[in-house]
Structure formats: structure tokens, C-alpha cells
Amino acid sequence: MNEYEALLRLQDIDLELIRLKRALRDMPQRKRIAAIERAKSKLASETSKVMGQRKDAQMDVDDSEAERGHLLAVQAEVRQRAAQTTNHRELTDFEAQLTSLAKKLEKNEYRYGGLVECLDKLQKAEGNARAMQGRLDGQLAQEQEALERGSGDLMARVRTLAGERKDVLTDLTAETKATYERSFKRFGGLAVERLQGNVPSVCRVALQPRQYADLHRRGPIHECPYCHRMLVTEEVAD
């Protein structure tokens, strides 16, 4: 392959690679995967918050149970001491203590019911969050599998073109490669145009007769005098 043919083929390869990479980037599975990952991140944050609340609620329930156990122990002790005395003043004092303990136990029982209810709700919320996490993990795995299947042919084509591109580059001089790379970056990939008659295929500005003659005298690869892309004459390329 001569140099101008290699240059045109390099341009075609790179344009196809751009299209393939755009197609891979825009696959619908990628958008769904991104949405699932955002949902997982948000859910993880919410789950962490619920777990913290559940742990606090469990501690409150445990503290309430410990308080009840302590009050019952004190109540049993007071009753035992009251049973061992006949002193009216002591009995009156023990009755007052028992009354106070009964009120504290009643208050503890009322509060305990609310704490248990709150803990139950938080446990259910945590369970629901974990179940949702499992469903999202399943959906993510399905979309990733679908992406892998759908992108297989595209990736195979990318690998084939990448291999061909390496071969094509060996037919270009170092100067031509450097010029192409600069033009490729400058023009967003569309680095080479062909001369169709006296009109460049990209900028579409007709060459003047003197310009046309000058390009032909200088060889098959030129720089467009208007858009400054690399220019190959149509007659030579054919």
C-alpha cells in the first residue's frame, strides 16, 4: 500500500473507530447501569442511616428492659423488707416506696411499648432496604450481562480495526504521521479530505486553477489551502 492509500485508509479506520466507540458509549444498557448504580448509592446511604437508627432503638429497648429489671428487683426487695416489720412508720415508708416503684414501672412499660414498636419499624425498614439492595444487584448483573453480549460484536470490530491500524501506520513516513496526528486533534478526527474535481470533499471550497495546478505538481498528499486539512487528490486516490 502506498502512502496516500495508507493515509486514506487510516482516516477511514479512525472515523469508524470513533463511530464504534460512540455506539459503545451510548448503548442503552450503560444508561440503565448508571441509573442502577446511582440508586444503589442512594439506597446504601439510606440503609446506613436506618441501621444507625435501628442500633440506637435497640439500645433504648435494652436500656428500658434493664431499667424494668432493676425496678422489679428493688420492688421485690422492698416487699420483702416490708413483710419483715410491724413498725407503722416503716410500713408507711415502704408503701410509699412501692407506690413510687409502681408508677415508675407503669411509665417504663408505657415507654417500652413505644420503643419496641419503633424498633420493629426500623427492623422492617432495614430488611426492606436489604431486599431492595438484592433486587438492584440482580438488575445490575442482568444489565452488565446484556451489555457484554450487546457490545461483543462492536468490541471485536474495534480490535480488528486496531490491528489493521497498526499495519497501516507502517506505510506512512514519520512526517506524514505527525501531520496526521496534529490534524486529527485539531479537526476532531476529520483530518483528511479528498479532492473531487477541483473541490475538497470537506470544506467544499473550489480551488482556483493556479492552486489546482500547484497541488498536482507537489504530489498526491497536500494541505488544503482553505481548511488546512490533509488533502489527497481524487484522481491519484482512485
Side-chain angles (χ1 to χ4, degrees):
M1 185 183 298
N2 60 44
E3 189 171 36
Y4 65 81
E5 290 173 331
L7 180 61
L8 290 172
R9 181 56 189 152
L10 177 62
Q11 175 69 105
D12 290 341
I13 289 172
D14 282 345
L15 290 177
E16 187 173 357
L17 284 172
I18 289 173
R19 288 192 294 269
L20 288 170
K21 290 175 181 178
R22 185 180 297 120
L24 286 167
R25 183 196 64 201
D26 294 339
M27 290 184 71
Q29 292 90 342
R30 291 191 185 279
K31 294 180 180 179
R32 291 195 288 269
I33 287 172
I36 292 172
E37 289 177 339
R38 288 194 297 270
K40 279 171 58 69
S41 178
K42 181 179 179 181
L43 180 62
S45 177
E46 294 174 351
T47 301
S48 178
K49 184 185 299 183
V50 170
M51 285 178 60
Q53 293 173 342
R54 190 262 303 161
K55 289 178 181 179
D56 290 342
Q58 183 66 63
M59 290 178 61
D60 290 341
V61 168
D62 293 343
D63 290 345
S64 181
E65 289 176 347
E67 180 186 26
R68 178 176 176 78
H70 173 71
L71 291 173
L72 289 172
V74 173
Q75 186 185 60
E77 181 183 353
V78 171
R79 283 175 176 170
Q80 184 179 12
R81 291 174 62 190
Q84 295 173 353
T85 185
T86 57
N87 184 283
H88 179 71
R89 178 177 293 181
E90 288 181 349
L91 286 172
T92 300
D93 182 56
F94 287 142
E95 287 177 0
Q97 290 182 47
L98 289 170
T99 299
S100 176
L101 287 168
K103 290 181 179 179
K104 290 179 179 179
L105 282 167
E106 183 179 1
K107 183 178 179 180
N108 172 273
E109 185 176 356
Y110 176 80
R111 180 171 177 268
Y112 180 77
L115 292 175
V116 170
E117 182 180 356
C118 178
L119 176 60
D120 183 60
K121 289 180 179 179
L122 289 169
Q123 287 174 333
K124 289 180 180 178
E126 185 177 351
N128 291 337
R130 293 191 182 281
M132 176 60 74
Q133 185 74 37
R135 289 194 291 273
L136 288 175
D137 287 339
Q139 292 174 10
L140 181 60
Q142 290 177 357
E143 291 296 340
Q144 288 174 334
E145 183 180 352
L147 176 62
E148 186 174 349
R149 289 197 307 270
S151 62
D153 291 342
L154 296 177
M155 289 301 300
R157 181 59 179 160
V158 168
R159 289 190 292 270
T160 298
L161 288 172
E164 184 183 355
R165 189 179 193 277
K166 289 182 180 180
D167 294 337
V168 169
L169 285 174
T170 62
D171 292 324
L172 299 179
T173 64
E175 182 181 358
T176 299
K177 283 190 286 189
T179 302
Y180 176 80
E181 289 172 1
R182 289 194 301 271
S183 184
F184 186 87
K185 291 178 181 179
R186 179 180 179 184
F187 298 107
L190 192 54
V192 182
E193 58 183 348
R194 301 161 69 107
L195 189 63
Q196 299 171 334
N198 68 333
V199 178
S201 59
V202 177
C203 68
R204 308 300 299 170
V205 180
L207 299 178
Q208 300 299 319
R210 181 178 297 178
Q211 294 172 318
Y212 183 81
D214 182 57
L215 288 177
H216 276 275
R217 282 195 301 271
R218 287 191 289 146
I221 300 175
H222 321 278
E223 178 182 300
C224 177
Y226 298 114
C227 68
H228 302 292
R229 289 178 173 85
M230 301 181 78
L231 178 65
V232 176
T233 63
E234 183 70 11
E235 295 87 346
V236 173
D238 287 342

